[in-house]
Amino acid sequence: MPEKQYRDWNPDQPFLLPPSLQEWLPEDHPVYLMLDILEELDVSAIDRKYQEKDARGTRPYAPKMMVGLLLYGYSVGIRSSRKLEKATYEDIPFRVLTAGNHPDHSRISEFRRKHLDELEDLFLQVFQICQRMGLVELGNVALDGTKVQASASKHKAMSYERMLEEEERLKEEIQEMLAEAEATDSEEDERFGRKNRGDELPEELGRKEERLQTIQQTKADLEKEAKQGRAEEVQAKAERASGRAETHESKKERKRSETLAEKWDEEAARLRQEADEQSGENAREAETPEGMPKHRPKTETDGTPKPKAQRNFTDPDSRIMEKGGEFLQGYNCQLLVDEAHQIIVAQGVTNNAPDNGNFGPMVEKGTDNAEASPEAVLADSGYWNEDAPAEVNRRGTEAYIATGRQPHGKKTPTRSGTPTDAATAQD
């Protein structure tokens, strides 16, 4: 009986002609869609930045290739620049996308950092291309958020109360070390004479002084931000009182509200002035570019931070947030997604942990991106407040927001009174 024959296999077989990249993957592979999208993208803003530089030196990689590498990598869950570099060697779709180029991880991360604003605009371009392809119907869209780890450790955060304690402790230690150094210098001068050096301060002193300076600067930043936040709260109270002073039916209440409005206006102005006079960082915006509220440290009535108010030394904008029963140092990332083909209509990032207050701004951004209003927006109970539906109803959009949480497995009555599984109503 003849032996079974196998198909030819020779890993060392050279090609007579170079292989075509188009033959490496099936025709319907997503990377080819990405290449088609790249042809439609306008990267002239990135190109202008390169053209403004000296033409001499190392040639940069093609902007469209770098944009495609980032977009495709992120779409398949690869966010590490080192892993993206590795994929250009080992992963066929990435080799097809980069056409045999292998930008190293430092080039990839540098490209992203330098062109963040332009990449934000490219998100909108990609969405509009998907819209023209019929992938966005704007029937039902869903809004949700997730907590994402920042490039900072929660162990690098310190509360205002701890900052005050550490500041005093370090001051005492530095004074003790200075006194010890002075005593040591005097003793060595007597033993060895002044010609021999003995005036160097201990190396540890420099480290403690640096840490003290860092804590003092961070404390000043936190105090300034707290005063700014308190000024905004008081100003909002003044505006509400001013509204009552104009519309309330009771003359006595109108007079009282007018007095309160004047008092709170003065208080807000005082807090703003004190914040301006402090040595902390420049004023932080109270909202994100989308209009979502940002975190403000909790304050006492005089505008000083509460003892538990925290700030991170590595990434001051990030905040400690809960995710899945654990805590991380990060941000609250929001996505508005079209139901038809799971296309992202709008995205936003805030350092405020609760989702409340994000509903209207995110739907507004999605409407602006699509230049049309969704028929309906779905969101969980984290987005619920009494004003949320009205924020989108004026644009002709229906809001479906859970008004509360319901335990898994709990039965809820239907209109006819028959219990039914409440899985769809759960948060």
Side-chain angles (χ1 to χ4, degrees), residues 227-267:
K227 275 214 166 32
Q228 291 167 340
R230 180 59 182 168
E232 291 164 8
E233 292 176 7
V234 174
Q235 188 64 58
K237 290 169 67 174
E239 291 171 1
R240 290 195 295 270
S242 181
R244 291 196 303 272
E246 295 177 358
T247 60
H248 202 279
E249 58 186 20
S250 168
K251 182 178 180 179
K252 181 178 180 181
E253 180 59 27
R254 290 200 301 272
K255 182 64 176 176
R256 175 178 171 276
S257 296
E258 184 179 354
T259 302
L260 284 174
E262 292 176 357
K263 172 188 173 184
W264 285 329
D265 271 331
E266 292 175 1
E267 176 70 6

Side-chain angles (χ1 to χ4, degrees), residues 59-62 65-70 80-89 94-95 97-111:
R59 291 192 299 170
Y61 289 103
M65 186 205 76
M66 296 296 287
V67 168
L69 179 58
L70 291 173
S80 162
S81 296
R82 286 175 170 79
K83 290 182 179 179
L84 287 174
E85 176 189 353
K86 184 179 180 182
T88 64
Y89 288 96
F94 284 91
R95 289 186 71 98
L97 181 65
T98 59
N101 287 288
H102 307 288
D104 64 50
H105 62 273
S106 59
R107 289 279 190 95
I108 296 171
S109 60
E110 182 184 24
F111 181 87

Side-chain angles (χ1 to χ4, degrees), residues 179-195:
E180 182 181 343
E182 180 64 27
T184 300
D185 287 347
S186 299
E187 189 268 334
E188 288 180 348
D189 282 347
E190 292 179 4
R191 287 169 55 197
F192 306 114
R194 287 188 175 274
K195 290 184 179 181

Side-chain angles (χ1 to χ4, degrees), residues 338-352:
D338 186 79
E339 178 189 48
H341 295 91
Q342 290 76 58
I343 300 297
I344 297 174
V345 180
Q347 54 80 30
V349 179
T350 177
N351 62 1
N352 203 36

Side-chain angles (χ1 to χ4, degrees), residues 8 14 21 27 45 69 71 115 162 168 174 180 190 208 228 230 236 276 282 299 339-340 355 360 374 378 396 404 422:
D8 291 338
L21 295 178
E27 292 182 358
L69 179 58
L71 290 179
H115 305 295
R162 178 82 184 283
E168 290 304 314
I174 289 172
E180 182 181 343
E190 292 179 4
K208 289 184 182 295
Q228 291 167 340
R230 180 59 182 168
D276 291 341
N282 294 329
T299 67
E339 178 189 48
D355 290 326
L378 291 72

Side-chain angles (χ1 to χ4, degrees), residues 16-51:
L16 180 62
L17 298 172
S20 169
L21 295 178
Q22 304 300 319
E23 298 175 357
W24 285 12
L25 295 167
E27 292 182 358
D28 59 351
H29 195 280
V31 78
Y32 293 130
L33 173 61
M34 177 60 68
L35 288 169
D36 291 339
I37 289 175
L38 289 174
E39 287 300 315
E40 299 296 322
L41 290 183
D42 178 8
V43 296
S44 58
I46 297 176
D47 182 62
R48 279 196 297 272
K49 283 189 174 181
Y50 283 117
Q51 298 307 324

